[in-house]
Amino acid sequence: MATRTSFAAIESQFNAYIGDIVYATMTTVDAKGRPRARVLIPIWETVDGRPIGWLATYRTPVKAAHLANNPHTTFSYWSPRQNAVSVDTVAAWEEDAEVRRRVWDLYRTGSPAGAGYDLGNFWKSPADPQLHVLRLTPWRVQVIRGADLQSKIWRAD
């Protein structure tokens, strides 16, 4: 059974699991409601007590069309120890140059620790026109501990 809680109460577990698992399955839906999943590495931070995510990505035609029709996305993390995190978000393309530089740095340092990578392996710089950034605003986060399947849920009010 899941219990509802504050984000502060699950933040350390959220960060530990994401830092350990790293890769998330991002799911979007098309205009006919058909899902599409892809494996990516988003990063996360806490701002004013709430989680905010960032995704450095290519703006592929499928991803762009799905998000233009329905900006709701889900990111699912799972480990063989059965630890899991599900993050339901609203995604929006972020064009601000300063935000792109900040996200570039967050990926390099890891956010949370363990997650992230050197974006320079795929893009030349934060100003590279092929680099696109999605801001991920969570409205629901569920953390499940595999040892006993204890589940805690945070929801934005």
Side-chain angles (χ1 to χ4, degrees), residues 139-157:
W139 58 270
R140 180 181 182 276
V141 173
Q142 182 175 17
V143 177
I144 302 170
R145 185 173 61 202
D148 57 9
L149 299 181
Q150 179 189 47
S151 176
K152 294 181 183 175
I153 296 174
W154 168 85
R155 291 180 199 257
D157 294 326

PDB file of all heavy atoms in Angstrom, residues 139-157:
ATOM      1  N   TRP A 139       4.298  16.225 -11.190  1.00  0.00           N
ATOM      2  CA  TRP A 139       3.066  16.400 -10.420  1.00  0.00           C
ATOM      3  C   TRP A 139       2.821  15.191  -9.517  1.00  0.00           C
ATOM      4  O   TRP A 139       2.002  15.243  -8.614  1.00  0.00           O
ATOM      5  CB  TRP A 139       1.865  16.672 -11.327  1.00  0.00           C
ATOM      6  CG  TRP A 139       1.591  15.614 -12.352  1.00  0.00           C
ATOM      7  CD1 TRP A 139       2.086  15.549 -13.622  1.00  0.00           C
ATOM      8  CD2 TRP A 139       0.744  14.476 -12.191  1.00  0.00           C
ATOM      9  NE1 TRP A 139       1.611  14.432 -14.255  1.00  0.00           N
ATOM     10  CE2 TRP A 139       0.774  13.755 -13.398  1.00  0.00           C
ATOM     11  CE3 TRP A 139      -0.034  13.992 -11.147  1.00  0.00           C
ATOM     12  CZ2 TRP A 139       0.058  12.571 -13.587  1.00  0.00           C
ATOM     13  CZ3 TRP A 139      -0.749  12.811 -11.337  1.00  0.00           C
ATOM     14  CH2 TRP A 139      -0.696  12.126 -12.545  1.00  0.00           C
ATOM     15  N   ARG A 140       3.603  14.127  -9.735  1.00  0.00           N
ATOM     16  CA  ARG A 140       3.497  12.932  -8.888  1.00  0.00           C
ATOM     17  C   ARG A 140       4.825  12.186  -8.933  1.00  0.00           C
ATOM     18  O   ARG A 140       5.398  12.001 -10.000  1.00  0.00           O
ATOM     19  CB  ARG A 140       2.389  12.013  -9.388  1.00  0.00           C
ATOM     20  CG  ARG A 140       2.201  10.747  -8.590  1.00  0.00           C
ATOM     21  CD  ARG A 140       1.068   9.912  -9.220  1.00  0.00           C
ATOM     22  NE  ARG A 140       0.798   8.715  -8.489  1.00  0.00           N
ATOM     23  CZ  ARG A 140       1.454   7.562  -8.628  1.00  0.00           C
ATOM     24  NH1 ARG A 140       2.448   7.471  -9.495  1.00  0.00           N
ATOM     25  NH2 ARG A 140       1.129   6.513  -7.918  1.00  0.00           N
ATOM     26  N   VAL A 141       5.300  11.768  -7.761  1.00  0.00           N
ATOM     27  CA  VAL A 141       6.518  10.958  -7.657  1.00  0.00           C
ATOM     28  C   VAL A 141       6.194   9.782  -6.741  1.00  0.00           C
ATOM     29  O   VAL A 141       5.667   9.971  -5.647  1.00  0.00           O
ATOM     30  CB  VAL A 141       7.699  11.761  -7.060  1.00  0.00           C
ATOM     31  CG1 VAL A 141       8.906  10.854  -6.810  1.00  0.00           C
ATOM     32  CG2 VAL A 141       8.079  12.925  -7.964  1.00  0.00           C
ATOM     33  N   GLN A 142       6.531   8.584  -7.195  1.00  0.00           N
ATOM     34  CA  GLN A 142       6.357   7.390  -6.365  1.00  0.00           C
ATOM     35  C   GLN A 142       7.705   6.699  -6.229  1.00  0.00           C
ATOM     36  O   GLN A 142       8.387   6.460  -7.219  1.00  0.00           O
ATOM     37  CB  GLN A 142       5.343   6.430  -6.977  1.00  0.00           C
ATOM     38  CG  GLN A 142       5.101   5.195  -6.133  1.00  0.00           C
ATOM     39  CD  GLN A 142       4.009   4.307  -6.701  1.00  0.00           C
ATOM     40  OE1 GLN A 142       3.632   4.410  -7.861  1.00  0.00           O
ATOM     41  NE2 GLN A 142       3.494   3.419  -5.869  1.00  0.00           N
ATOM     42  N   VAL A 143       8.073   6.391  -4.999  1.00  0.00           N
ATOM     43  CA  VAL A 143       9.314   5.677  -4.705  1.00  0.00           C
ATOM     44  C   VAL A 143       8.928   4.352  -4.061  1.00  0.00           C
ATOM     45  O   VAL A 143       8.145   4.317  -3.105  1.00  0.00           O
ATOM     46  CB  VAL A 143      10.210   6.502  -3.750  1.00  0.00           C
ATOM     47  CG1 VAL A 143      11.460   5.736  -3.380  1.00  0.00           C
ATOM     48  CG2 VAL A 143      10.582   7.835  -4.388  1.00  0.00           C
ATOM     49  N   ILE A 144       9.463   3.248  -4.604  1.00  0.00           N
ATOM     50  CA  ILE A 144       9.143   1.915  -4.088  1.00  0.00           C
ATOM     51  C   ILE A 144      10.434   1.238  -3.650  1.00  0.00           C
ATOM     52  O   ILE A 144      11.371   1.105  -4.442  1.00  0.00           O
ATOM     53  CB  ILE A 144       8.450   1.049  -5.151  1.00  0.00           C
ATOM     54  CG1 ILE A 144       7.164   1.735  -5.629  1.00  0.00           C
ATOM     55  CG2 ILE A 144       8.165  -0.351  -4.606  1.00  0.00           C
ATOM     56  CD1 ILE A 144       6.536   1.080  -6.834  1.00  0.00           C
ATOM     57  N   ARG A 145      10.474   0.821  -2.388  1.00  0.00           N
ATOM     58  CA  ARG A 145      11.624   0.088  -1.862  1.00  0.00           C
ATOM     59  C   ARG A 145      11.424  -1.394  -2.150  1.00  0.00           C
ATOM     60  O   ARG A 145      10.433  -1.995  -1.737  1.00  0.00           O
ATOM     61  CB  ARG A 145      11.767   0.341  -0.362  1.00  0.00           C
ATOM     62  CG  ARG A 145      13.019  -0.291   0.223  1.00  0.00           C
ATOM     63  CD  ARG A 145      13.238   0.106   1.656  1.00  0.00           C
ATOM     64  NE  ARG A 145      12.118  -0.336   2.487  1.00  0.00           N
ATOM     65  CZ  ARG A 145      11.808   0.192   3.657  1.00  0.00           C
ATOM     66  NH1 ARG A 145      12.511   1.186   4.147  1.00  0.00           N
ATOM     67  NH2 ARG A 145      10.808  -0.269   4.349  1.00  0.00           N
ATOM     68  N   GLY A 146      12.370  -1.996  -2.865  1.00  0.00           N
ATOM     69  CA  GLY A 146      12.250  -3.382  -3.282  1.00  0.00           C
ATOM     70  C   GLY A 146      12.251  -4.387  -2.160  1.00  0.00           C
ATOM     71  O   GLY A 146      11.632  -5.445  -2.271  1.00  0.00           O
ATOM     72  N   ALA A 147      12.924  -4.102  -1.040  1.00  0.00           N
ATOM     73  CA  ALA A 147      13.043  -5.070   0.054  1.00  0.00           C
ATOM     74  C   ALA A 147      11.685  -5.487   0.609  1.00  0.00           C
ATOM     75  O   ALA A 147      11.484  -6.638   0.994  1.00  0.00           O
ATOM     76  CB  ALA A 147      13.919  -4.498   1.175  1.00  0.00           C
ATOM     77  N   ASP A 148      10.746  -4.546   0.652  1.00  0.00           N
ATOM     78  CA  ASP A 148       9.426  -4.866   1.213  1.00  0.00           C
ATOM     79  C   ASP A 148       8.283  -4.249   0.402  1.00  0.00           C
ATOM     80  O   ASP A 148       7.134  -4.289   0.823  1.00  0.00           O
ATOM     81  CB  ASP A 148       9.338  -4.392   2.667  1.00  0.00           C
ATOM     82  CG  ASP A 148       9.613  -2.909   2.819  1.00  0.00           C
ATOM     83  OD1 ASP A 148       9.715  -2.195   1.793  1.00  0.00           O
ATOM     84  OD2 ASP A 148       9.735  -2.449   3.965  1.00  0.00           O
ATOM     85  N   LEU A 149       8.618  -3.707  -0.760  1.00  0.00           N
ATOM     86  CA  LEU A 149       7.667  -3.052  -1.653  1.00  0.00           C
ATOM     87  C   LEU A 149       6.916  -1.903  -0.986  1.00  0.00           C
ATOM     88  O   LEU A 149       5.812  -1.556  -1.378  1.00  0.00           O
ATOM     89  CB  LEU A 149       6.692  -4.065  -2.263  1.00  0.00           C
ATOM     90  CG  LEU A 149       7.348  -5.155  -3.104  1.00  0.00           C
ATOM     91  CD1 LEU A 149       6.314  -6.088  -3.676  1.00  0.00           C
ATOM     92  CD2 LEU A 149       8.221  -4.554  -4.206  1.00  0.00           C
ATOM     93  N   GLN A 150       7.569  -1.297   0.027  1.00  0.00           N
ATOM     94  CA  GLN A 150       6.987  -0.104   0.651  1.00  0.00           C
ATOM     95  C   GLN A 150       6.981   1.009  -0.384  1.00  0.00           C
ATOM     96  O   GLN A 150       7.985   1.279  -1.044  1.00  0.00           O
ATOM     97  CB  GLN A 150       7.802   0.311   1.875  1.00  0.00           C
ATOM     98  CG  GLN A 150       7.248   1.539   2.539  1.00  0.00           C
ATOM     99  CD  GLN A 150       8.169   2.077   3.606  1.00  0.00           C
ATOM    100  OE1 GLN A 150       9.369   2.215   3.387  1.00  0.00           O
ATOM    101  NE2 GLN A 150       7.611   2.382   4.767  1.00  0.00           N
ATOM    102  N   SER A 151       5.846   1.659  -0.548  1.00  0.00           N
ATOM    103  CA  SER A 151       5.681   2.688  -1.558  1.00  0.00           C
ATOM    104  C   SER A 151       5.262   4.004  -0.907  1.00  0.00           C
ATOM    105  O   SER A 151       4.372   4.017  -0.054  1.00  0.00           O
ATOM    106  CB  SER A 151       4.618   2.243  -2.558  1.00  0.00           C
ATOM    107  OG  SER A 151       4.369   3.256  -3.510  1.00  0.00           O
ATOM    108  N   LYS A 152       5.913   5.084  -1.330  1.00  0.00           N
ATOM    109  CA  LYS A 152       5.552   6.418  -0.860  1.00  0.00           C
ATOM    110  C   LYS A 152       5.329   7.300  -2.075  1.00  0.00           C
ATOM    111  O   LYS A 152       6.075   7.231  -3.048  1.00  0.00           O
ATOM    112  CB  LYS A 152       6.647   7.002   0.025  1.00  0.00           C
ATOM    113  CG  LYS A 152       6.819   6.241   1.326  1.00  0.00           C
ATOM    114  CD  LYS A 152       7.898   6.868   2.178  1.00  0.00           C
ATOM    115  CE  LYS A 152       8.098   6.048   3.454  1.00  0.00           C
ATOM    116  NZ  LYS A 152       9.207   6.563   4.249  1.00  0.00           N
ATOM    117  N   ILE A 153       4.295   8.137  -1.981  1.00  0.00           N
ATOM    118  CA  ILE A 153       3.920   8.987  -3.096  1.00  0.00           C
ATOM    119  C   ILE A 153       3.904  10.445  -2.668  1.00  0.00           C
ATOM    120  O   ILE A 153       3.344  10.785  -1.620  1.00  0.00           O
ATOM    121  CB  ILE A 153       2.521   8.594  -3.636  1.00  0.00           C
ATOM    122  CG1 ILE A 153       2.566   7.178  -4.202  1.00  0.00           C
ATOM    123  CG2 ILE A 153       2.053   9.599  -4.687  1.00  0.00           C
ATOM    124  CD1 ILE A 153       1.213   6.648  -4.628  1.00  0.00           C
ATOM    125  N   TRP A 154       4.519  11.291  -3.502  1.00  0.00           N
ATOM    126  CA  TRP A 154       4.414  12.736  -3.349  1.00  0.00           C
ATOM    127  C   TRP A 154       3.595  13.254  -4.516  1.00  0.00           C
ATOM    128  O   TRP A 154       3.762  12.790  -5.656  1.00  0.00           O
ATOM    129  CB  TRP A 154       5.802  13.386  -3.378  1.00  0.00           C
ATOM    130  CG  TRP A 154       5.727  14.878  -3.523  1.00  0.00           C
ATOM    131  CD1 TRP A 154       5.562  15.782  -2.518  1.00  0.00           C
ATOM    132  CD2 TRP A 154       5.790  15.642  -4.724  1.00  0.00           C
ATOM    133  NE1 TRP A 154       5.514  17.065  -3.012  1.00  0.00           N
ATOM    134  CE2 TRP A 154       5.646  16.995  -4.391  1.00  0.00           C
ATOM    135  CE3 TRP A 154       5.931  15.306  -6.074  1.00  0.00           C
ATOM    136  CZ2 TRP A 154       5.653  18.020  -5.318  1.00  0.00           C
ATOM    137  CZ3 TRP A 154       5.946  16.318  -7.016  1.00  0.00           C
ATOM    138  CH2 TRP A 154       5.824  17.646  -6.641  1.00  0.00           C
ATOM    139  N   ARG A 155       2.691  14.181  -4.252  1.00  0.00           N
ATOM    140  CA  ARG A 155       1.916  14.829  -5.296  1.00  0.00           C
ATOM    141  C   ARG A 155       1.997  16.338  -5.123  1.00  0.00           C
ATOM    142  O   ARG A 155       1.940  16.836  -4.003  1.00  0.00           O
ATOM    143  CB  ARG A 155       0.445  14.424  -5.225  1.00  0.00           C
ATOM    144  CG  ARG A 155       0.170  13.005  -5.595  1.00  0.00           C
ATOM    145  CD  ARG A 155      -1.334  12.755  -5.477  1.00  0.00           C
ATOM    146  NE  ARG A 155      -1.610  11.339  -5.379  1.00  0.00           N
ATOM    147  CZ  ARG A 155      -2.058  10.600  -6.369  1.00  0.00           C
ATOM    148  NH1 ARG A 155      -2.299  11.149  -7.529  1.00  0.00           N
ATOM    149  NH2 ARG A 155      -2.284   9.323  -6.197  1.00  0.00           N
ATOM    150  N   ALA A 156       2.100  17.028  -6.257  1.00  0.00           N
ATOM    151  CA  ALA A 156       2.046  18.484  -6.205  1.00  0.00           C
ATOM    152  C   ALA A 156       0.627  18.883  -5.850  1.00  0.00           C
ATOM    153  O   ALA A 156      -0.333  18.249  -6.285  1.00  0.00           O
ATOM    154  CB  ALA A 156       2.439  19.068  -7.559  1.00  0.00           C
ATOM    155  N   ASP A 157       0.492  19.910  -5.074  1.00  0.00           N
ATOM    156  CA  ASP A 157      -0.846  20.369  -4.710  1.00  0.00           C
ATOM    157  C   ASP A 157      -1.397  21.321  -5.744  1.00  0.00           C
ATOM    158  O   ASP A 157      -0.760  21.907  -6.504  1.00  0.00           O
ATOM    159  CB  ASP A 157      -0.828  21.048  -3.343  1.00  0.00           C
ATOM    160  CG  ASP A 157      -0.490  20.030  -2.240  1.00  0.00           C
ATOM    161  OD1 ASP A 157      -0.891  18.868  -2.366  1.00  0.00           O
ATOM    162  OD2 ASP A 157       0.168  20.441  -1.273  1.00  0.00           O
TER     163      ASP A 157
END
